[in-house]
Amino acid sequence: QLMESGGGLVQAGGSLRLSCAASGRVANINAADWYRQAPGKQRELVASTTTRGAGATNYADSVKGRFDISVNDGRNTVYLQMNGLKPEDAGDYICNTRGSYYTGRYWTDLDSWGQGIQVTVSS
């Protein structure tokens, strides 16, 4: 189960930091995505990251240079730092994480979705 936090209302030009935590689990996140769902629009992939190998991050052209996706050292939380927010950045932000987690007895695959968190940007 993933717990998202950090959304809310911000003025254009402001910043927010979204968090997506594998709540209550010992996890090893090795890949993650943040999606954005705006009313009347298709779900859009805004940022991706993988810690496999040398690691890599990718961003939608619309957010490059403004958003930053990262995984904490404990590999149980994914962040999306959003700077220079614009009204068109508004929507529900949904995280997806992949990797593994410990059930208490063994490690198993992790492929989970957050519940979505709303971001509103006023002009």
Side-chain angles (χ1 to χ4, degrees), residues 88-102:
E88 53 264 40
D89 293 320
D92 283 335
Y93 282 72
I94 306 129
C95 64
N96 172 248
T97 64
R98 298 173 298 285
S100 56
Y101 72 95
Y102 189 62

Side-chain angles (χ1 to χ4, degrees), residues 74-118:
R75 294 201 177 182
N76 60 2
T77 303
V78 180
Y79 300 102
L80 185 67
Q81 177 68 45
M82 305 186 294
N83 300 320
L85 282 162
K86 305 175 181 180
E88 53 264 40
D89 293 320
D92 283 335
Y93 282 72
I94 306 129
C95 64
N96 172 248
T97 64
R98 298 173 298 285
S100 56
Y101 72 95
Y102 189 62
T103 67
R105 296 175 58 191
Y106 53 86
W107 287 88
T108 190
D109 290 341
L110 171 70
D111 187 349
S112 293
W113 291 85
Q115 78 280 9
I117 192 162
Q118 189 169 22

Side-chain angles (χ1 to χ4, degrees), residues 13-84:
S15 298
L16 286 174
R17 190 192 196 201
L18 304 183
S19 298
C20 174
S23 178
R25 289 179 173 175
V26 176
N28 180 26
I29 296 171
N30 54 37
D33 305 312
W34 281 97
Y35 292 82
R36 177 170 65 205
Q37 179 77 64
K41 294 185 178 181
Q42 286 189 324
R43 181 175 291 187
E44 175 188 17
L45 177 62
V46 296
S48 298
T49 188
T50 179
T51 60
R52 298 185 183 99
T57 57
N58 290 284
Y59 299 93
D61 288 342
S62 59
V63 307
K64 278 181 183 176
R66 300 187 296 121
F67 288 15
D68 180 69
I69 185 172
S70 62
V71 180
N72 70 337
D73 289 344
R75 294 201 177 182
N76 60 2
T77 303
V78 180
Y79 300 102
L80 185 67
Q81 177 68 45
M82 305 186 294
N83 300 320

